[in-house]
Amino acid sequence: MDKYLGQKSAVHYLHPPVDPFDQRMIDVGDGHTVYMEQSGNPQGMPVVVLHGGPGGGCSPAMRRYFDPKVFRVILFDQRGCGRSRPHASVRDNTTWHLVRDIELIRTHLAIDQWIVFGGSWGATLGLIYAQAHPERVSGLVLRGVFLATKAELDWFYGGGAGKFWPETWARFVDLIPENEHDDLIAAYNKRLFSGDLMVETKYARAWSSWENALASFHSNGVGGESPSEYARAFARLENHYFTNGAFLKYDGQILDQLDRIAHIPGAIVQGRYDMICPPQAAWKLAAGWPNVELHMVRNAGHALSEPGISAELVRVMDRIAEG
């Protein structure tokens, strides 16, 4: 999602562009190879960046939230998206496979501890990873918090957000027969995994467009057309994860296991008017995590490319850089 929203308005706040000093494909098993890159200072403070989606992939702009003299920045495309292969594949693609991949990358790079930086689904994955491997996380910086609960999915795919954007919601819903409107995630799942590439691409673009349309505070309600290959991976992976409740053991698991990360310092950057991941999740997370700072950004929505969000994330990372 963030990859195609454009970063022009946020560029003023970011560090200068930087090229990777290391790019490689890593065989993570199960027939998957994952794209990974490193930029910044090879001897610097390591930070792993977890992109959104699932299925969003990483972009060059994501390197620019970190002072390249201070940080060793590790980006990777999660299974099935971006430059990782096989593309748009959901086979052996679950939250727990991704947690294992993060650990594999960490050991591959001989890193003992790192900062975990993630937004939207990347925040979800970062929290789950930290709860599974708290000894490996020196800090968490999260944006646009999503806790993968049924209530959050009901908000976005059950008509809650649609009450604010009825015309945009209608475009998303009207592609589905009325007798399937009670479960739009399931209805789209049937079509995204139909085996017909044209059908899958049509519904993938509609799925992606609904989310893109609501990402920015200044949205006009039109999501635009994502490139078909990107949209198909994004929609299929996201729908697969949401159909399966992010592969968590039970609803509300992340908040229930906050004691595992209570000692880890954290920062949450949340848009006050985030239509995709409403602020209540960030507030609940901060209320149960004694070692976190919540930065609520006024006049901001969900996207990483929002100027207020970008400015606050850079400020947080610059403060960490200063020690």
Side-chain angles (χ1 to χ4, degrees), residues 96-146:
W96 304 105
H97 286 102
L98 301 186
V99 167
R100 194 178 77 194
D101 293 350
I102 296 168
E103 270 297 273
L104 191 149
I105 291 168
R106 185 190 62 75
T107 55
H108 196 73
L109 298 177
I111 291 169
D112 183 51
Q113 269 196 332
W114 50 8
I115 296 166
V116 176
F117 180 103
S120 196
W121 162 252
T124 322
L125 182 58
L127 287 162
I128 295 167
Y129 170 75
Q131 290 177 347
H133 300 282
E135 73 286 356
R136 299 304 178 190
V137 179
S138 58
L140 278 159
V141 178
L142 310 174
R143 183 264 314 169
V145 170
F146 172 56

Side-chain angles (χ1 to χ4, degrees), residues 131 254-263 288:
Q131 290 177 347
I254 294 174
L255 285 181
D256 199 40
Q257 297 185 354
L258 280 181
D259 59 305
R260 298 186 180 188
I261 62 166
H263 63 288

Side-chain angles (χ1 to χ4, degrees), residues 74-315:
I74 298 104
L75 272 65
F76 73 100
D77 290 333
Q78 294 159 29
R79 291 187 183 206
C81 68
R83 286 149 287 191
S84 297
R85 293 292 179 267
H87 190 72
S89 172
V90 299
R91 181 178 50 81
D92 294 313
N93 195 337
T94 72
T95 306
W96 304 105
H97 286 102
L98 301 186
V99 167
R100 194 178 77 194
D101 293 350
I102 296 168
E103 270 297 273
L104 191 149
I105 291 168
R106 185 190 62 75
T107 55
H108 196 73
L109 298 177
I111 291 169
D112 183 51
Q113 269 196 332
W114 50 8
I115 296 166
V116 176
F117 180 103
S120 196
W121 162 252
T124 322
L125 182 58
L127 287 162
I128 295 167
Y129 170 75
Q131 290 177 347
H133 300 282
E135 73 286 356
R136 299 304 178 190
V137 179
S138 58
L140 278 159
V141 178
L142 310 174
R143 183 264 314 169
V145 170
F146 172 56
L147 299 174
T149 62
K150 186 177 183 302
E152 289 166 297
L153 293 174
D154 286 348
W155 158 263
F156 200 63
Y157 297 104
K163 288 182 172 66
F164 289 85
W165 296 94
E167 71 282 25
T168 311
W169 177 245
R171 288 197 295 272
F172 180 65
V173 172
D174 288 352
L175 286 174
I176 302 296
E178 197 168 340
N179 65 348
E180 295 181 66
H181 284 187
D182 62 326
D183 190 343
L184 289 166
I185 293 176
Y188 267 85
N189 184 272
K190 258 199 298 195
R191 293 153 178 89
L192 290 169
F193 294 92
S194 67
D196 181 324
L197 184 60
M198 285 184 69
V199 170
E200 290 182 4
T201 301
K202 173 185 173 181
Y203 284 89
R205 280 185 153 154
W207 178 279
S208 305
S209 182
W210 163 239
E211 188 163 327
N212 281 342
L214 271 65
S216 170
F217 176 70
H218 296 288
S219 173
N220 62 2
V222 179
E225 286 280 301
S226 297
S228 58
E229 192 178 64
Y230 172 84
R232 185 167 170 269
F234 179 80
R236 279 166 57 94
L237 266 67
E238 198 168 78
N239 183 284
H240 165 69
Y241 274 75
F242 296 168
T243 296
N244 290 284
F247 300 93
L248 295 174
K249 291 193 179 82
Y250 55 93
D251 196 37
Q253 178 179 323
I254 294 174
L255 285 181
D256 199 40
Q257 297 185 354
L258 280 181
D259 59 305
R260 298 186 180 188
I261 62 166
H263 63 288
I264 298 174
I268 300 167
V269 175
Q270 177 71 38
R272 172 66 72 186
Y273 298 102
D274 189 332
M275 281 283 163
I276 298 172
C277 299
Q280 186 181 32
W283 183 81
K284 283 183 177 177
L285 179 63
W289 183 1
N291 210 9
V292 74
E293 292 179 1
L294 174 60
H295 306 265
M296 203 71 82
V297 182
R298 67 189 182 94
N299 298 342
H302 182 72
L304 178 62
S305 57
E306 296 262 11
I309 300 287
S310 284
E312 195 58 44
L313 284 169
V314 170
R315 271 196 291 270

